[in-house]
Amino acid sequence: MARATLIGFSAIAMWALLALLTDASGSMPPFQLSAICFAIGTCVGLAARVYAPPARREKIPPQVWLIGIAGLFGYHFFYFTALRNAPAVEASLIAYLWPLLIVLGSALMPGEKLAWNHVAGALLGLAGTVLIITKGGGLSFDARYGFGYAMAGVCAFLWSGYSLLSRRFPSVPTTIVTWFCLATAVLSLVCHLLLEETVWPAGAGQWLAVVGLGLMPVGAAFYAWDIGVKRGNIQVLGAASYAAPLLSTLVLIAAGFAEPSWRILAACVLITGGAVLAAKALLFGGRKVAAAEAGR
């Protein structure tokens, strides 16, 4: 379980590159960018299949296909819709309720137990995320943007549902994510052709950013997340997911696209403290707890 949880953490680390690489990719419309990146993400899965040991052929339940495609394509479709119909700050914050929903929803999973520290850790992470997204300012939810807010809420439920329901099918190999990425690429292409004008990257730098997106945040991260939510500690992963916007901001600061401030420091303390609190059993529980976690 500890190894799978660490692999899940690597997905969070890769998602921290999302903002930087998206900004560097130019002005490509979102569905076109999604189609290209998920096509690259599909290639990541195909390459991994070449080097992975052959897996047993098993019949994949129809609901797994529904969960996977709804999770990857559905999340991005509703997220883009939310950003088109509501202010980005409020929409992003609503969409980023998914880590808290994962922590709370995990109590309904077979063999899982929700403890006070999981909830407290997730709430601390949420508080830190509010500081990052709002930049220390206030929130203003306007009824005119109700549709956009609702779409952002659908995002949160879709990704948390995908993460939780994936755990119910631990025998389904992670290689299935390859086909989820392919389906998402095709559906994103359809949306692009229907809704957007085509804009190609200008120069090698923007193309490299697009390739980087497809290889990591919109590629390998989804395979790592699948391993984490199926075989890792899902409460800890849920609470630790709030580190993604913080890490993303730190990456932007390191790249010179943002300035350090008190709110970054405060968010760092809140999110790190929340993650440590949520993971206290793994970090400080001793051999007995570690053995129990490994046997689950």
Side-chain angles (χ1 to χ4, degrees), residues 210-235:
V210 172
V211 172
L213 280 168
L215 290 176
M216 290 183 288
V218 192
F222 292 114
Y223 300 92
W225 186 249
D226 185 79
I227 295 171
V229 297
K230 282 180 178 175
R231 295 186 282 277
N233 187 312
I234 197 165
Q235 292 98 343

Side-chain angles (χ1 to χ4, degrees), residues 44-135:
V44 171
L46 292 174
R49 293 167 76 96
V50 172
Y51 295 101
R56 290 186 306 169
R57 285 187 170 272
E58 295 186 17
K59 186 176 181 180
I60 306 298
Q63 57 266 40
V64 170
W65 294 104
L66 178 62
I67 292 166
I69 296 172
L72 268 65
F73 173 73
Y75 175 85
H76 290 85
F77 177 85
F78 286 105
Y79 183 69
F80 296 150
T81 303
L83 292 183
R84 289 171 187 263
N85 292 276
V89 170
E90 287 81 5
S92 297
L93 188 58
I94 293 171
Y96 222 83
L97 289 173
W98 63 262
L100 180 60
L101 293 177
I102 287 178
V103 174
L104 297 177
S106 67
L108 304 176
M109 295 288 101
E112 299 293 346
K113 183 179 179 181
L114 186 64
W116 70 269
N117 59 294
H118 297 134
V119 177
L123 290 174
L124 284 173
L126 178 60
T129 300
V130 170
L131 277 178
I132 292 292
I133 294 178
T134 64
K135 299 181 179 178

Side-chain angles (χ1 to χ4, degrees), residues 7-273:
I7 292 174
F9 286 158
S10 73
I12 298 169
M14 284 186 274
W15 286 330
L17 299 173
L18 188 61
L20 177 64
L21 292 175
T22 299
D23 183 73
S25 67
S27 56
M28 190 183 299
F31 283 114
Q32 181 188 357
L33 182 61
S34 177
I36 294 174
C37 290
F38 274 103
I40 297 171
T42 302
C43 295
V44 171
L46 292 174
R49 293 167 76 96
V50 172
Y51 295 101
R56 290 186 306 169
R57 285 187 170 272
E58 295 186 17
K59 186 176 181 180
I60 306 298
Q63 57 266 40
V64 170
W65 294 104
L66 178 62
I67 292 166
I69 296 172
L72 268 65
F73 173 73
Y75 175 85
H76 290 85
F77 177 85
F78 286 105
Y79 183 69
F80 296 150
T81 303
L83 292 183
R84 289 171 187 263
N85 292 276
V89 170
E90 287 81 5
S92 297
L93 188 58
I94 293 171
Y96 222 83
L97 289 173
W98 63 262
L100 180 60
L101 293 177
I102 287 178
V103 174
L104 297 177
S106 67
L108 304 176
M109 295 288 101
E112 299 293 346
K113 183 179 179 181
L114 186 64
W116 70 269
N117 59 294
H118 297 134
V119 177
L123 290 174
L124 284 173
L126 178 60
T129 300
V130 170
L131 277 178
I132 292 292
I133 294 178
T134 64
K135 299 181 179 178
L139 290 171
S140 177
F141 292 99
D142 192 323
R144 291 178 300 166
Y145 304 117
F147 177 73
Y149 297 152
M151 295 299 96
V154 172
C155 289
F157 278 103
L158 276 176
W159 190 253
S160 59
Y162 164 75
S163 301
L164 290 167
L165 292 173
S166 293
R167 194 172 181 86
R168 287 185 170 271
F169 300 94
S171 63
V172 174
T174 293
T175 51
I176 193 70
V177 176
T178 306
W179 311 122
F180 297 161
C181 288
L182 178 61
T184 301
V186 172
L187 292 170
S188 296
L189 178 61
V190 171
C191 288
H192 165 64
L193 295 175
L194 292 175
L195 302 172
E196 300 172 335
E197 292 186 6
T198 301
V199 178
W200 294 108
Q206 291 186 4
W207 273 113
L208 285 173
V210 172
V211 172
L213 280 168
L215 290 176
M216 290 183 288
V218 192
F222 292 114
Y223 300 92
W225 186 249
D226 185 79
I227 295 171
V229 297
K230 282 180 178 175
R231 295 186 282 277
N233 187 312
I234 197 165
Q235 292 98 343
V236 172
L237 283 175
S241 295
Y242 280 117
L246 172 64
L247 293 173
S248 179
T249 303
L250 294 177
V251 168
L252 290 172
I253 290 173
F257 289 97
E259 294 292 332
S261 67
W262 68 267
R263 64 181 175 81
I264 303 295
L265 177 60
C268 184
V269 172
L270 287 169
I271 293 173
T272 304

